[in-house]
Amino acid sequence: MKNVKKVLLLISGWVSLAIGILGIVLPLIPTTPLLLLAAACFFRSSDRMYWWLLENKYFGHYIKNYRKHRGIPLKAKIVGVTVLWVSILYSALFVVPLFFVKILLIGLASYFTWFILSLNTIR
C-alpha cells in the first residue's frame, strides 16, 4: 500500500508540474501554487524528483522565492496581471458571444488580479 501511495503522489507531482508549466504562458493557470503542490508531492514520494525540482534553473526559483519571502517579484506581478487582462478582454470582446460568460471571465480575472496583487512583493 505504501508503494501505491508513492506512485500516486509521484503521478500527482508530475501532473501538477505539467499544468504549472502551462501556467507560465497561460494567464488563468497559477504557476507558483502548482509548482508548490508538485514539490510537496515529490517530497513525499521521491527525494530525487524533489531536489531536481528545487534545483531546476527554470522552476526552482518560483518555489524558493515563495518559501523564503511568501511572495512573487514585482515584474512577475506586472506581467501576470497584464497578460491576464489582455487575454481576458480580448476573449470577452471578440471571442465569447454569451453575455453571462463575458461577466464570468471578468469576474475570474478580477479575482486572480486580487490574488496576485495580495501576495507579498519581492524586491
Side-chain angles (χ1 to χ4, degrees), residues 2-123:
K2 197 174 194 178
N3 288 336
V4 172
K5 181 180 174 183
K6 281 190 171 195
V7 169
L8 289 175
L9 284 169
L10 196 58
I11 291 169
S12 297
W14 277 107
V15 169
S16 298
L17 177 61
I19 297 171
I21 291 169
L22 286 175
I24 293 171
V25 293
L26 298 175
L28 286 179
I29 299 175
T31 301
T32 303
L34 288 166
L35 292 178
L36 291 170
L37 178 60
C41 290
F42 290 152
F43 180 77
R44 288 170 180 78
S45 63
S46 170
D47 286 339
R48 186 174 70 110
M49 289 308 308
Y50 175 70
W51 287 108
W52 172 82
L53 184 59
L54 283 183
E55 298 304 321
N56 187 287
K57 70 178 182 177
Y58 301 109
F59 317 124
H61 69 276
Y62 285 102
I63 298 166
K64 290 175 184 176
N65 278 341
Y66 192 80
R67 281 180 156 182
K68 185 175 180 181
H69 304 289
R70 294 281 186 214
I72 59 176
L74 180 61
K75 181 180 177 184
K77 284 186 174 188
I78 292 169
V79 170
V81 171
T82 302
V83 170
L84 172 71
W85 279 101
V86 167
S87 62
I88 290 295
L89 288 176
Y90 177 81
S91 297
L93 295 174
F94 302 113
V95 178
V96 177
L98 300 173
F99 182 73
F100 171 74
V101 177
K102 291 179 183 194
I103 298 298
L104 182 63
L105 286 173
I106 300 296
L108 284 170
S110 299
Y111 169 76
F112 282 109
T113 299
W114 169 81
F115 177 78
I116 290 169
L117 296 178
S118 68
L119 293 172
N120 288 334
T121 303
I122 301 170
R123 303 232 180 240

